C-alpha cells in the first residue's frame, strides 16, 4: 500500500492515547496508526501470547445492514436480509443463528477475492447484520453492499467510532472485570451491552490465533473504554507490527498481500468458507471456476513455509531443488514465538505437501524453505462446550 | 581512537589502520527489534558506499554501507545467535565488522559525534 502524505492521513479517535502511550505512528490504509509502542514488536507480540494485547483496529470497516420493512418474525426477517447479501459472498448467511459471526469472502464473477470479511446476525434484531470489512477495501465494499441491497435494506457505516481488539489468554479475565456477560460468548459469536452509557458490540473473535474480543465502541466513549482496559495490569497496548507477526504465526491471510482479486478461495486454502448449501446451489460469484478448482485442483496453493536464515519477505521467489521458479512469498517475516523465519507462499500444487523441501530466494541466495502445515503456532480460540 | 558517523547512521571507530563498523543507537531505535544480521566474508574488499551487511528487523530489511573503503578482517559472529545485541549495545557488543582502512583520508568526510547528534536532532 502506498504511503499517503501525512496531511492527508485520517486520525483514529484514539490518536492522542496512542501518542501518549509512546506509539510510533505510521501511515496505514489511509490512517495514522501505531506500528509499535515503546516495548517494541517482539515484546508486544509475546505479551499478547501470554497476557492480553490491546489493539486499535479502528481503520477497519464496521457497518450494519438493516432490513427496511421487517415483518417482526425474526427468522423470516433474517432470511430476507441474508438473501440480499448472499449473492455477493460464498458463505451461508441464511444459516447464521442469532449472534453468530461468520468469516466469508466477497467474490468477483471470476471467483477472485474482493475482500475477506465478517458477517454476523444480530442477537437482538431480526433482519439486521453486523458486517466488518478490511480498511483498504472498505470504500469499494461498502459501495457494493449498499448498491446490492438498496431499496430493501438500510446500510450504515459505523467506522466513525473505535474498534478495539483485546487478544490473549488473559483477555477473558480482563473482559470479566468490565462486562462479565460478554465472557459467556463462544468463539465467533457477538453480543451488545451497555457500558458507561454507551452500547458496545462485543465479538469473541480476533486476528492473532488467541482467545479474545473485538469491541465496537461509539467515539464519545472510546477514550473511557481504552483507559479502562489499559488500566488493567494484564493489558498492554500492541501495535500493527505485532498484529502482523501474530496473524502470520496463526496462518491467517492478509488481504492485499496473501489474497487479491485474482486469488480464488480454493487456491488460498479457504475452502472452509465455501458453505455446503452454497456449493450445492452453485449460486455464488465465480462458482464455475471455484467448484472446478475444488473438483480438479487449483493452479497454485497457499502453503506455510519454515524458512532457514534471513526472513523471506513478500515478493521473494520460491524455487524447487532444481532451481526452477515454482512460486512466490506473499507474507513473510520473523516469528517471535518460534524464533525463526516463517512465510506464507503460493506454490505449484504438486509442491504443496507438508515436508516438501523448497527454497526461498533472499538477496540472490537460495535458503531452505520447508512446506509446513499452518497455523505455525496453534490457535487457542475459546470453543464453548455444546 | 575516534568515532565517525555516516549520514546513513553507520559508525566507524578507528583504531590505527583498523576500523570497527556498526550502526548508531539512533539507527537501532528506529529499526526496532533486530532479528537477523547478514555479514560479509572475511577478506572481502569494499569501496566506500558499497553494501556490506543487511540488518533485518521484524518489519523490514535494511542495507548497511561501507563508511570507507577497505578489507574485512573480522566479523562479529555473536550476532548470528544474538542479533538483538545490535539493539542492546549498538556501539559496543553489537558491532558488525572490523576492516582495514585503505585510506584514512576518507574518514575526514564523515561526521564526528557532535555533528552526528546535530544530524539526527
Amino acid at each position: 500500500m502506498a504511503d499517503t502524505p501525512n496531511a492527508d492521513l485520517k486520525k483514529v479517535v484514539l490518536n492522542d492515547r496512542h501518542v501518549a502511550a509512546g506509539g510510533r505512528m505510521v501511515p496505514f490504509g489511509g490512517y495514522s496508526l501505531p506500528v509499535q509502542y515503546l516495548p517494541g514488536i517482539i515484546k508486544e507480540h509475546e505479551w499478547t501470547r501470554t497476557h492480553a494485547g490491546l489493539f486499535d483496529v479502528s481503520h477497519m470497516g464496521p457497518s450494519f445492514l438493516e432490513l427496511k420493512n421487517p415483518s417482526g418474525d425474526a427468522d423470516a426477517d433474517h432470511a430476507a436480509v441474508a438473501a440480499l447479501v448472499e449473492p455477493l459472498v460464498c458463505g451461508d448467511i441464511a444459516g447464521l443463528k442469532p449472534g453468530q459471526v461468520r468469516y466469508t469472502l466477497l467474490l468477483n464473477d471470476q471467483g477472485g477475492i474482493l475482500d475477506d470479511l465478517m458477517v454476523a446476525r444480530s442477537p437482538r434484531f431480526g433482519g439486521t447484520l453486523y458486517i466488518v470489512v478490511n480498511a483498504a477495501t472498505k470504500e469499494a465494499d461498502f459501495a457494493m453492499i449498499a448498491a446490492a441491497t438498496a431499496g430493501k435494506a438500510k446500510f450504515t457505516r459505523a467506522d466513525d467510532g473505535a474498534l478495539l481488539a483485546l487478544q490473549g489468554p488473559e483477555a477473558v479475565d480482563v473482559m470479566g472485570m468490565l462486562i462479565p456477560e460478554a465472557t459467556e460468548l463462544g468463539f465467533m459469536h457477538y453480543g451488545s451491552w451497555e457500558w458507561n452509557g454507551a452500547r458496545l458490540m462485543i465479538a469473541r473473535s480476533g486476528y492473532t490465533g488467541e482467545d479474545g474480543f473485538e469491541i465496537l465502541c461509539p467515539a464519545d466513549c472510546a477514550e473511557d473504554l481504552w483507559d479502562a482496559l489499559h488500566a488493567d495490569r494484564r493489558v498492554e497496548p500492541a501495535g500493527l507490527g505485532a498484529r502482523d507477526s501474530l496473524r502470520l504465526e496463526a496462518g491467517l491471510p492478509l488481504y492485499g498481500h496473501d489474497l487479491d482479486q485474482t486469488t480464488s478461495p480454493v487456491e488460498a486454502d479457504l475452502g472452509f468458507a465455501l458453505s455446503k448449501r452454497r456449493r450445492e446451489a452453485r449460486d455464488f460469484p465465480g462458482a464455475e471456476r471455484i467448484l472446478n478448482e475444488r473438483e480438479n485442483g487449483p493452479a497454485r496453493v497457499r502453503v506455510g513455509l519454515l524458512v532457514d536464515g534471513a526472513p523471506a519477505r513478500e515478493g521473494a521467489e520460491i524455487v524447487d531443488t532444481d532451481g526452477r521458479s515454482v512460486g512466490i512469498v506473499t507474507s513473510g517475516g520473523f516469528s517471535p514465538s518460534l524464533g525463526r523465519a516463517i512465510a506464507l507462499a503460493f506454490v505449484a500444487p504438486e509442491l504443496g505437501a507438508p515436508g516438501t523441501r523448497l527454497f526461498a530466494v533472499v538477496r540472490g541466495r537460495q535458503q531452505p524453505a520447508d512446506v509446513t502445515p499452518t497455523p505455525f503456532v496453534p490457535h487457542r480460540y475459546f470453543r464453548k462446550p455444546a | 581512537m575516534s568515532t565517525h558517523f555516516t549520514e546513513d547512521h553507520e559508525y566507524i571507530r578507528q583504531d590505527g589502520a583498523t576500523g570497527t563498523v556498526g550502526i548508531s543507537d539512533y539507527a537501532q531505535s528506529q529499526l526496532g527489534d533486530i532479528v537477523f544480521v547478514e555479514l560479509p566474508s572475511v577478506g572481502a574488499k569494499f569501496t566506500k558506499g558499497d553494501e556490506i551487511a543487511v540488518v533485518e528487523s521484524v518489519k523490514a530489511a535494511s542495507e548497511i554501507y561501507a563508511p570507507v573503503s577497505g578489507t574485512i578482517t573480522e566479523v562479529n559472529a555473536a550476532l548470528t545467535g544474538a542479533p538483538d545485541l545490535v539493539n542492546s549495545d549498538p556501539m559496543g557488543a553489537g558491532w558488525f565488522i572490523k576492516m582495514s582502512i585503505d585510506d584514512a583520508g576518507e574518514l575526514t568526510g564523515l561526521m564526528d559525534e557532535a555533528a552526528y547528534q546535530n544530524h539526527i536532532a
Side-chain angles (χ1 to χ4, degrees):
Chain A
M1 187 177 313
D3 287 355
T4 311
N6 282 342
D8 297 338
L9 286 178
K10 286 179 269 194
K11 282 188 174 145
V12 291
V13 295
L14 290 168
N15 186 71
D16 292 352
R17 288 295 189 272
H18 300 313
V19 172
R24 184 178 293 171
M25 308 304 283
V26 300
F28 187 83
Y31 287 79
S32 175
L33 287 163
V35 64
Q36 65 167 80
Y37 299 86
L38 295 176
I41 294 172
I42 291 180
K43 286 200 171 67
E44 293 163 26
H45 178 114
E46 289 170 346
W47 187 269
T48 303
R49 288 260 181 262
T50 49
H51 303 286
L54 179 60
F55 302 81
D56 186 348
V57 293
S58 303
H59 57 305
M60 295 188 68
S63 61
F64 294 92
L65 187 67
E66 297 162 70
L67 199 63
K68 271 192 173 150
N69 297 302
S71 66
D73 175 335
D75 286 340
D77 291 336
H78 175 67
V81 76
L84 300 177
V85 172
E86 282 199 349
L88 305 176
V89 301
C90 55
D92 181 3
I93 307 305
L96 289 174
K97 298 187 171 57
Q100 191 180 0
V101 182
R102 181 154 283 157
Y103 174 82
T104 191
L105 303 166
L106 205 55
L107 297 169
N108 63 28
D109 288 337
Q110 292 73 48
I113 301 172
L114 296 171
D115 198 10
D116 59 344
L117 66 160
M118 297 290 190
V119 177
R121 174 175 172 177
S122 170
R124 300 200 301 158
F125 305 109
T128 297
L129 300 177
Y130 173 36
I131 301 172
V132 184
V133 306
N134 275 302
T137 49
K138 72 179 172 183
E139 299 304 330
D141 291 5
F142 285 169
M144 193 175 179
I145 296 167
T149 59
K152 301 193 170 109
K154 181 178 152 213
F155 179 78
T156 312
R157 58 194 294 166
D159 60 341
D160 54 349
L163 188 62
L164 299 180
L166 180 69
Q167 300 280 297
E170 294 178 351
V172 65
D173 300 324
V174 174
M175 181 59 76
M177 306 290 287
L178 231 63
I179 297 156
E181 298 85 351
T183 64
E184 303 284 315
L185 291 166
F187 181 59
M188 295 297 271
H189 284 77
Y190 90 103
S192 85
W193 287 275
E194 292 284 340
W195 182 80
N196 265 18
R199 184 153 284 275
L200 307 182
M201 303 290 148
I202 305 179
R204 193 115 187 212
S205 56
Y207 196 43
T208 60
E210 298 295 332
D211 185 19
F213 301 88
E214 291 175 301
I215 311 163
L216 181 65
C217 173
D220 55 11
C221 99
E223 293 194 335
D224 287 346
L225 179 62
W226 174 272
D227 292 345
L229 291 168
H230 193 192
D232 192 304
R233 285 162 57 180
R234 294 166 290 200
V235 175
E236 289 291 342
L240 293 172
R243 182 171 157 82
D244 192 52
S245 55
L246 288 158
R247 72 89 196 168
L248 183 60
E249 286 184 351
L252 301 171
L254 173 59
Y255 195 82
H257 299 264
D258 307 301
L259 311 175
D260 64 26
Q261 296 191 16
T262 71
T263 324
S264 81
V266 178
E267 291 174 331
D269 194 23
L270 300 173
F272 69 88
L274 302 166
S275 90
K276 183 156 181 280
R277 175 175 64 81
R278 305 296 308 277
R279 289 197 320 261
E280 286 171 354
R282 308 177 72 90
D283 66 348
F284 52 90
E288 192 178 349
R289 170 192 174 188
I290 291 168
L291 294 173
N292 179 53
E293 286 183 355
R294 199 169 176 276
E295 189 87 356
N296 302 310
R300 52 182 176 166
V301 290
R302 180 168 69 91
V303 297
L305 296 173
L306 290 172
V307 179
D308 275 4
R313 312 276 181 185
E314 180 176 2
E317 187 183 19
I318 303 295
V319 299
D320 65 9
T321 45
D322 298 326
R324 287 178 307 152
S325 182
V326 294
I328 192 160
V329 170
T330 51
S331 287
F334 179 78
S335 160
S337 301
L338 302 180
R340 60 173 305 160
I342 58 174
L344 297 176
F346 281 80
V347 301
E350 64 274 18
L351 300 171
T356 306
R357 166 58 58 96
L358 298 171
F359 298 88
V361 182
V362 179
R363 295 184 281 276
R365 251 200 331 269
Q366 296 183 9
Q367 301 179 181
D370 291 331
V371 177
T372 189
T374 58
F376 297 96
V377 172
H379 295 161
R380 297 195 288 180
Y381 301 135
F382 175 67
R383 307 281 181 184
K384 205 169 174 174
Chain B
M1 283 214 302
S2 58
T3 305
H4 309 264
F5 293 84
T6 71
E7 295 196 346
D8 297 319
H9 313 287
E10 294 93 3
Y11 69 80
I12 179 164
R13 183 168 287 144
Q14 183 198 7
D15 185 5
T18 303
T20 302
V21 176
I23 64 171
S24 71
D25 186 55
Y26 172 81
Q28 71 75 22
S29 74
Q30 289 298 304
L31 290 171
D33 297 314
I34 307 294
V35 298
F36 189 89
V37 182
E38 189 167 306
L39 297 168
S41 306
V42 171
K45 292 180 194 303
F46 293 97
T47 301
K48 177 182 168 125
D50 285 353
E51 181 184 315
I52 50 169
V54 178
V55 57
E56 301 255 12
S57 69
V58 181
K59 291 297 286 176
S62 308
E63 292 81 28
I64 305 303
Y65 303 105
V68 297
S69 306
T71 304
I72 305 297
T73 56
E74 194 180 342
V75 299
N76 186 357
L79 297 184
T80 307
D84 54 321
L85 285 172
V86 178
N87 292 119
S88 58
D89 192 10
M91 304 293 290
W95 62 278
F96 284 27
I97 57 105
K98 293 183 198 290
M99 64 196 299
S100 63
I101 300 170
D102 285 353
D103 172 11
E106 282 183 346
L107 292 169
T108 58
L110 303 179
M111 289 174 273
D112 63 12
E113 175 82 37
Y116 180 69
Q117 289 305 327
N118 260 337
H119 175 64
I120 60 175

